[in-house]
Amino acid sequence: MGKASIVKENRFTKRREPFNFMLWLGIGGSVLIFTILLAVYIMRKSAGVYWTDVPLPGLFWVSTVAIVVSSLTLHLANHSLRTDRYPEFRRYIAATLFLGILFVILQFLGWYQLINAGISTLNNPSAGFIYLFSGLHIFHILIGIGVLSWAVYQSLKNSTYVDAFVFSVNPPNQLKIKLITIYWHFVDVLWLYLYGFLLYHHGL
């Protein structure tokens, strides 16, 4: 009896999940855009023409806490789904959505603080970058809120234990939850980096 031949899978030619690839491609594109903008910020600040650092809105700090906690609740939602604790999954995924919406509201209220303080893009390019970074990140968050809304809807729709179990073991649904989680953690880390960058250059 001859040896059974073992075909080693080539990692370069194996079929990849297209949605996973598209997500990482989008993440890479977002990182590139923000990297370019941060570089432009540094060059513009170095020029020093009409540039005055303005303090960041205090509500940006509160919104940062909200987005960090939302990553924790999403992690707990995933754990609850994997361990068949569906009521907890519903609560945690709904909490994540709520915190995402709260983050956006707090960001806009932060803009309102800047406007009330007379800080606008017309009198200081430094403020313009704050609005730009925050606005682009809000756009990313709104995409996340959209997909989280789908997850919350599915968690409420599949209210019985059997329906929830069928939903959780369905491979396409597992993939969607996985991609939502990756994306949401990305926008969380992205904001932490942006906020840290702005803190370094502007302070509270």
Side-chain angles (χ1 to χ4, degrees), residues 21-32:
F21 175 75
M22 289 170 60
L23 173 63
W24 283 107
L25 188 63
I27 288 175
S30 295
V31 170
L32 179 61

Side-chain angles (χ1 to χ4, degrees), residues 159-184:
S159 56
T160 67
Y161 179 88
V162 173
D163 288 340
F165 177 77
V166 171
F167 172 82
S168 68
V169 298
N170 183 278
N173 292 334
Q174 290 176 344
L175 176 63
K176 290 173 185 175
I177 297 297
K178 175 187 174 183
L179 298 182
I180 290 171
T181 302
I182 292 172
Y183 180 80
W184 195 256

Side-chain angles (χ1 to χ4, degrees), residues 79-155:
H79 179 71
S80 299
L81 191 64
R82 289 194 301 268
T83 53
D84 297 341
R85 296 203 296 266
Y86 304 116
E88 290 183 18
F89 168 72
R90 294 185 190 100
R91 287 195 294 269
Y92 285 130
I93 200 71
T96 305
L97 176 61
F98 169 78
L99 289 167
I101 295 172
L102 179 63
F103 174 87
V104 173
I105 293 172
L106 290 169
Q107 290 278 297
F108 282 131
L109 290 175
W111 288 17
Y112 184 71
Q113 285 183 332
L114 288 175
I115 294 169
N116 272 355
I119 300 170
S120 71
T121 59
L122 298 176
N123 55 25
N124 194 342
S126 171
F129 276 101
I130 295 176
Y131 290 116
L132 178 61
F133 290 149
S134 174
L136 277 178
H137 185 262
I138 287 172
F139 173 74
H140 284 73
I141 286 288
L142 290 176
I143 294 173
I145 287 174
V147 293
L148 279 171
S149 298
W150 170 85
V152 170
Y153 169 75
Q154 291 298 324
S155 72

Side-chain angles (χ1 to χ4, degrees), residues 179-193:
L179 298 182
I180 290 171
T181 302
I182 292 172
Y183 180 80
W184 195 256
H185 288 328
F186 163 69
V187 294
D188 185 351
V189 172
L190 176 61
W191 174 250
L192 289 177
Y193 183 82

